[in-house]
Amino acid sequence: MLGKEPETLLTHAGNAPEKNQGIVNPPVYHASTVIFPSVAYMEEGAKQPYEGVRYGRYGTPTSRAFEDAVAALEGGYRAVVTSSGLNAITTALLAFVKSGDHLLLVDNCYYPTRQFAEKILSGLGVTTSYYPPEVGENIADYIRPNTRMIYLESPGSFSFEMQDVPAITRVAKERGILTMMDNTWATPLFFQPLAHGVDLSIQAATKYIVGHSDAMLGVITAKEEVFWPLKTIAAILGVCAGPDDVYLGLRGLRSLAARLAMHQQHALTVAEWLSRRSEVVRVIHPARPDHPGYHLWQRDYHGSTGLFAVILDKVFDKEAVTRMVESCRLFGLGYSWGGYESLIMPFFSPPPRDCTPWQQEGTLLRLHVGLEAVTDLLHDLEEGLKHLHG
Ligand SMILES: *Cc1c(COP(=O)(O)O)cnc(C)c1O
């Protein structure tokens, strides 16, 4: 019997040494064909084709171990592992919206989610409109008679607005509208979407779950009512993930709590330090009391992670900011985040927005604060900031 606390679950879920000669970690199953003992067995299995071990694409003991561990952490019925975080998002959307339906997307969502709605769903007859992240219960004003799904992401992974998740899911539930949420920033350790009324929770496991910048992976956790429709469509779409990457996800879970505690602490320290620098006009971090969504973070979240942003003074032009980021040695310039290492990403043009135009002047710098010693990180930023001035 596993303990109830998430740290204990993280440490043991999916492991069964007694079934594997005492070896702590489960073996990695590489599989396509699964040999059946009889025709009767084969025919019996075909009644529930996506259950059990029948074909590599539908699931193996390796994928099931990872799915069950994440589902337990998210407090869901079951989960579906996918080949990337974006694949988790597109699979969950394709499973539940159809021609004639309307999708409500949060205006600050991860950009490829927006592209999927505009380039793929539009061609399938699904209309998309956007709502402000800070809408709360006024989401009702954006709902149309054919709204099928409300998509949440909190905080936004560029601008970090917090959403009032329970207020939105309450309205959705009253009207029979499904909700899904990209929960990558918080991970299931710091926020549990399903407990706040969301039907489908998405993790880009590429980020904190894998945690070492060496695999692409996604996972969708579902409530019982929506799991089988989701699993069926995922199977029909051919969604599956490579066994070695799934294993890296499972292994990443073991140290997730320890890594996040350090990311959290380091990011808060770096954010505080940056807030006292004259080059910085604003720090955008949901776990700081000056953040407009701080009360929501405090009410609903158990912690904060390593990703936040600052706005630089508008006197620093693209050339100055380029000098700055290129002179950082520890903060690398690169996509993604959630690995052990620190990253810095400048955004020189305003993000695409529909109903909440980006008003802030000055370059937004997004930082992912890693596991390096904070003193070294502060020193790196201090050297970098000098280069803003020429
Ligand atoms: C990175 C990211 C994704 C996509 O994950 P991939 O594994 O890169 O496909 C989705 N949502 C958020 C918030 C992300 O940061």
Side-chain angles (χ1 to χ4, degrees):
M1 170 67 191
L2 291 175
K4 284 207 186 73
E5 295 301 326
E7 291 81 355
T8 312
L9 258 179
L10 282 171
T11 313
H12 294 282
N15 280 357
E18 69 284 0
K19 292 186 188 157
N20 184 36
Q21 304 185 58
I23 295 169
V24 172
N25 290 302
V28 182
Y29 286 90
H30 285 261
S32 55
T33 302
V34 175
I35 301 292
F36 306 129
S38 64
V39 169
Y41 183 96
M42 181 179 78
E43 289 183 337
E44 187 57 30
K47 293 176 188 163
Q48 279 188 300
Y50 312 130
E51 187 65 294
V53 182
R54 317 227 143 249
Y55 186 52
R57 194 195 317 126
Y58 301 153
T60 65
T62 305
S63 62
R64 188 65 193 265
F66 177 71
E67 290 167 343
D68 287 352
V70 173
L73 277 170
E74 292 261 15
Y77 173 64
R78 274 179 58 180
V80 175
V81 68
T82 63
S83 62
S84 69
L86 185 56
N87 191 209
I89 294 166
T90 61
T91 299
L93 284 170
L94 283 173
F96 294 102
V97 295
K98 62 180 190 317
S99 181
D101 286 345
H102 170 239
L103 166 69
L104 258 177
L105 262 187
V106 65
D107 205 22
N108 62 350
C109 69
Y110 180 65
Y111 181 59
T113 304
R114 202 176 184 98
Q115 283 182 306
F116 180 72
E118 291 175 4
K119 293 195 188 296
I120 307 287
L121 292 181
S122 62
L124 300 176
V126 176
T127 51
T128 298
S129 67
Y130 297 91
Y131 69 91
E134 285 150 345
V135 73
E137 64 186 12
N138 294 330
I139 189 72
D141 300 341
Y142 293 81
I143 290 171
R144 300 179 185 173
N146 60 338
T147 303
R148 171 71 173 143
M149 171 77 81
I150 301 173
Y151 184 100
L152 302 90
E153 179 178 331
S154 182
S157 60
F158 164 83
S159 43
F160 301 94
E161 297 90 343
M162 292 294 295
Q163 292 194 249
D164 190 337
V165 178
I168 293 172
T169 57
R170 212 175 302 126
V171 174
K173 211 138 263 130
E174 280 165 17
R175 313 210 177 182
I177 298 168
L178 289 173
T179 49
M180 62 184 275
M181 177 170 173
D182 185 332
N183 188 37
T184 303
W185 182 85
T187 84
L189 216 53
F190 289 161
F191 184 69
Q192 298 204 303
L194 273 50
H196 291 82
V198 174
D199 297 302
L200 298 143
S201 176
I202 303 292
Q203 276 292 317
T206 306
K207 308 288 166 57
Y208 284 119
I209 290 180
V210 167
H212 294 70
S213 310
D214 52 3
M216 304 297 305
L217 201 67
V219 58
I220 311 158
T221 306
K223 288 195 171 161
E224 184 168 6
E225 309 85 275
V226 287
F227 174 75
W228 282 108
L230 170 74
K231 176 68 187 174
T232 303
I233 297 300
I236 292 170
L237 286 170
V239 169
C240 59
D244 292 316
D245 288 346
V246 176
Y247 180 80
L248 290 174
L250 200 54
R251 192 169 73 160
L253 286 175
R254 309 302 175 210
S255 60
L256 182 64
R259 286 184 285 109
L260 283 185
M262 215 157 146
H263 283 292
Q264 165 164 248
Q265 193 195 4
H266 288 189
L268 287 167
T269 306
V270 171
E272 175 61 24
W273 183 86
L274 284 166
S275 74
R276 290 195 240 108
R277 294 291 303 205
S278 62
E279 297 91 343
V280 171
V281 295
R282 194 177 154 211
V283 173
I284 314 177
H285 189 310
R288 286 174 57 84
D290 63 354
H291 189 280
Y294 177 67
H295 62 290
L296 297 173
W297 174 80
Q298 213 181 21
R299 187 190 69 189
D300 297 339
Y301 283 60
H302 303 299
S304 61
T305 56
L307 193 76
F308 69 97
V310 298
I311 307 287
L312 296 173
D313 195 307
K314 62 176 189 288
V315 302
F316 302 114
D317 59 11
K318 182 171 180 178
E319 202 182 322
V321 178
T322 300
R323 273 197 313 270
M324 184 218 155
V325 298
E326 288 181 351
S327 65
C328 289
R329 296 282 172 89
L330 294 176
F331 282 86
L333 175 65
Y335 288 138
S336 202
W337 44 276
Y340 51 82
E341 83 287 20
S342 291
L343 298 169
I344 193 164
M345 175 66 60
F347 291 86
F348 294 116
S349 44
R353 289 292 176 88
D354 184 78
C355 57
T356 51
W358 185 245
Q359 306 283 10
Q360 191 84 49
E361 291 181 291
T363 301
L364 183 144
L365 271 188
R366 191 179 74 179
L367 287 92
H368 179 251
V369 183
L371 307 181
E372 301 92 339
V374 183
T375 46
D376 288 334
L377 292 176
L378 295 181
H379 181 71
D380 197 44
L381 288 173
E382 181 149 33
E383 287 300 307
L385 287 168
K386 280 184 194 161
H387 288 80
L388 277 179
H389 302 280

